């Protein structure tokens, strides 16, 4: 594997403290990185060990102090330099995506995920748009929209409207533009009433496609996640079935409900489907996407759900399927929350 001059620059020593006075990394870690990226190739083991344990503030400090790779965007986030992203991806093969996604500012990461999902050659990967929009906080999603403006000079909503011409478009626009209430208050009576609305719409499914039901779209794209989880529980209480299971005929609605109401189950299912020997390239990419984006969020809960559903640990499955430095990096990210 060839050595990148830019990666050598990446490893320059820092003071070891970020703007909040918190310890970022020891000077020894930076010396190890300097050695890792100098001379004869990359010492991937050292690279993975150090980067795998860095938290969000350490990575932010790294972005802010590595102008060779990152520049301050006018919307106040640090963005990767386009040329370096391409170079890293050429050098690191499958490991590269995990490295790039994990070190990227979360706003830029989500904006790029949505853009890539929209412009896939075969067809747009709508589940990635749903997943990104429905599992982020309101502020995280707003940040992704701001980053999208900077990176692509369009809004996410504009690009969805341009690329998607099916009835799913209205739901997708609603999801990416949502700014949900995130307090603890839930109107239980309203949640129960809306559960009954879902039940009626599903029973009347032959009259109109559910994805075209304006009330269904409105509820899913505007209500708080706590409200929707209450609705989900009431639906089970009044119908005897889980709402996402009842939506099996509409994969988009099913995925939306899963991401909003049972995200750990959703992600564990994605990992189970992706950590197999016979899957296609998009499925393999899902492993990187899920683990790198959820490592600082809920990977521990996802791993617990994976174990419960599959009878084996996520760590064991990664050990079985993945190889080399890519495997070690995934394991380091999963281990962060153990």
């Amino acid at each position: 594997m060839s050595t990148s001059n830019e990666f050598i620059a990446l490893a320059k020593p820092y003071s070891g403290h970020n703007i909040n006075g918190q310890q970022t990394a020891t000077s020894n870690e930076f010396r190890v990185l300097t050695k890792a990226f100098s001379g004869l190739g990359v010492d991937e083991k050292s690279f993975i060990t150090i980067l795998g344990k860095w938290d969000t503030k350490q990575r932010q400090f790294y972005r802010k102090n590595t102008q060779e790779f990152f520049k301050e965007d006018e919307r106040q986030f640090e963005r990767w330099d386009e040329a370096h992203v391409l170079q890293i991806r050429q050098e690191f093969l499958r490991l590269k995506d995990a490295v790039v996604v994990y070190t990227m500012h979360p706003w830029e990461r989500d904006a790029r995920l949505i853009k890539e999902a929209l412009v896939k050659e075969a067809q747009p990967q709508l589940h990635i748009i749903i997943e990104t929009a429905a599992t982020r906080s309101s502020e995280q999603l707003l940040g992704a929209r701001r980053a999208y403006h900077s990176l692509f000079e369009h809004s996410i909503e504009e690009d969805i409207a341009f690329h998607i011409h099916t009835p799913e478009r209205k739901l997708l626009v609603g999801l990416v533009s949502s700014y949900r209430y995130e307090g603890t208050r839930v109107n239980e009576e309203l949640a129960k009433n809306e559960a009954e609305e879902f039940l009626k719409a599903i029973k009347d499914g032959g009259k109109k496609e559910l994805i075209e039901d304006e009330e269904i779209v409105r509820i899913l794209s505007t209500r708080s996640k706590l409200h929707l989880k209450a609705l989900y529980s009431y639906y089970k209480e009044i119908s005897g079935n889980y709402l996402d299971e009842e939506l099996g005929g509409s994969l988009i609605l099913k995925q939306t409900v899963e991401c909003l109401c049972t995200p750990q189950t959703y992600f564990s299912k994605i990992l189970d489907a992706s950590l197999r020997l016979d899957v296609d390239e998009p499925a393999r990419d899902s492993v990187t996407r899920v683990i790198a984006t959820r490592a600082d969020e809920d990977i521990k809960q996802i791993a617990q759900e994976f174990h419960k559903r599959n009878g084996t640990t996520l760590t064991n499955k990664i050990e079985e399927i993945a190889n080399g430095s890519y495997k070690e990096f995934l394991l380091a990210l999963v281990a962060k929350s153990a």
Side-chain angles (χ1 to χ4, degrees):
M1 185 178 292
S2 62
T3 302
S4 164
N5 291 331
E6 286 81 6
F7 267 124
I8 297 172
L10 173 157
K12 63 185 179 181
Y14 301 131
S15 64
H17 294 273
N18 65 18
I19 56 176
N20 295 318
Q22 294 179 320
Q23 188 71 23
T24 59
T26 67
S27 58
N28 183 60
E29 286 177 337
F30 288 109
R31 282 196 296 270
V32 170
L33 280 179
T34 301
K35 182 178 179 181
F37 292 111
S38 62
L40 301 173
V42 177
D43 180 352
E44 293 179 346
K45 183 176 181 180
S46 298
F47 174 73
I48 289 164
T49 299
I50 294 169
L51 186 57
K53 72 178 183 179
W54 280 1
D55 61 21
T56 55
K57 289 191 178 296
Q58 288 168 314
R59 299 200 304 278
Q60 181 188 39
F61 180 79
Y62 162 74
R63 289 193 300 269
K64 285 183 176 296
N65 289 275
T66 312
Q67 296 178 2
E68 295 87 350
F69 281 99
F70 300 91
K71 55 186 178 181
E72 185 72 21
D73 188 89
E74 62 183 4
R75 290 176 174 82
Q76 298 182 323
F77 71 99
E78 315 85 37
R79 59 188 284 188
W80 267 103
D81 178 82
E82 296 278 359
H84 292 310
V85 170
L86 294 175
Q87 187 162 9
I88 292 168
R89 287 182 164 175
Q90 289 172 354
E91 287 211 14
F92 279 82
L93 300 178
R94 190 169 296 282
L95 174 64
K96 45 78 176 173
D97 275 334
V99 170
V100 169
V101 172
Y102 187 65
T103 54
M104 197 174 280
H105 191 291
W107 296 359
E108 179 180 6
R109 176 202 67 200
D110 288 345
R112 289 188 183 277
L113 282 173
I114 291 174
K115 182 67 172 181
E116 290 172 8
L118 281 170
V119 299
K120 285 293 183 182
E121 290 184 7
Q123 61 182 5
Q125 295 184 307
L126 303 188
H127 69 284
I128 295 179
I129 302 172
I130 292 168
E131 170 188 311
T132 307
T135 63
R136 288 6 174 205
S137 70
S138 294
E139 285 297 321
Q140 288 170 334
L141 183 55
L142 180 60
R145 292 167 66 196
R146 291 167 63 186
Y148 200 96
H149 291 172
S150 289
L151 293 164
F152 309 116
E153 299 182 342
H154 293 275
S155 70
I156 297 176
E157 298 92 328
E158 183 181 2
D159 277 359
I160 287 175
F162 178 79
H163 288 283
I164 309 299
H165 305 287
T166 58
E168 288 82 7
R169 177 165 62 181
K170 188 169 185 177
L171 173 65
L172 293 170
V173 169
L175 290 173
V176 300
S177 59
S178 181
Y179 194 88
R180 301 176 191 273
Y181 166 69
E182 293 182 342
T184 59
R185 187 173 182 178
V186 175
N187 185 325
E188 299 288 342
E189 189 62 30
L190 179 59
K192 187 172 184 178
N193 289 340
E194 290 183 342
E196 291 171 349
E197 285 187 44
F198 268 83
L199 182 59
K200 183 177 185 302
I202 289 170
K203 285 184 175 179
D204 294 343
K207 300 178 182 178
K208 179 170 60 175
E209 290 290 331
L210 283 175
I211 195 67
E212 299 181 67
D213 190 307
E214 292 188 2
E215 281 299 289
I216 297 295
V217 170
R218 177 188 64 82
I219 292 167
L220 291 177
S221 59
T222 63
R223 295 300 190 201
S224 76
K225 292 177 183 177
L226 284 181
H227 177 96
L228 291 170
K229 288 177 181 178
L231 183 159
Y232 186 87
S233 295
Y234 281 124
Y235 189 92
K236 177 67 165 65
E237 183 180 304
I238 62 179
S239 72
N241 299 310
Y242 290 106
L243 176 57
D244 48 333
E245 294 175 354
E246 295 274 85
L247 294 168
S250 174
L251 181 59
I252 297 301
L253 287 177
K254 176 182 174 67
Q255 291 169 336
T256 300
V257 169
E258 286 181 333
C259 288
L260 289 166
C261 299
T262 58
Q264 286 80 33
T265 299
Y266 168 84
F267 284 121
S268 71
K269 288 163 66 175
I270 293 291
L271 288 172
D272 179 44
S274 304
L275 286 167
R276 300 172 185 267
L277 293 174
D278 58 348
V279 298
D280 57 19
E281 195 64 22
R284 291 195 184 282
D285 290 343
S286 296
V287 178
T288 295
R289 185 183 77 252
V290 172
I291 293 180
T293 62
R294 306 313 294 176
D296 296 308
E297 300 290 338
D298 56 355
I299 193 64
K300 181 177 182 178
Q301 291 78 16
I302 292 168
Q304 291 170 344
E305 182 66 23
F306 186 94
H307 191 188
K308 183 172 72 173
R309 291 179 59 84
N310 300 292
T312 188
T313 67
L314 179 56
T315 297
N316 286 345
K317 195 65 176 179
I318 292 170
E319 290 270 13
E320 176 188 340
I321 299 298
N323 294 303
S325 297
Y326 176 64
K327 176 185 73 175
E328 297 304 322
F329 190 59
L330 294 181
L331 292 172
L333 296 187
V334 172
K336 286 181 61 173
S337 63

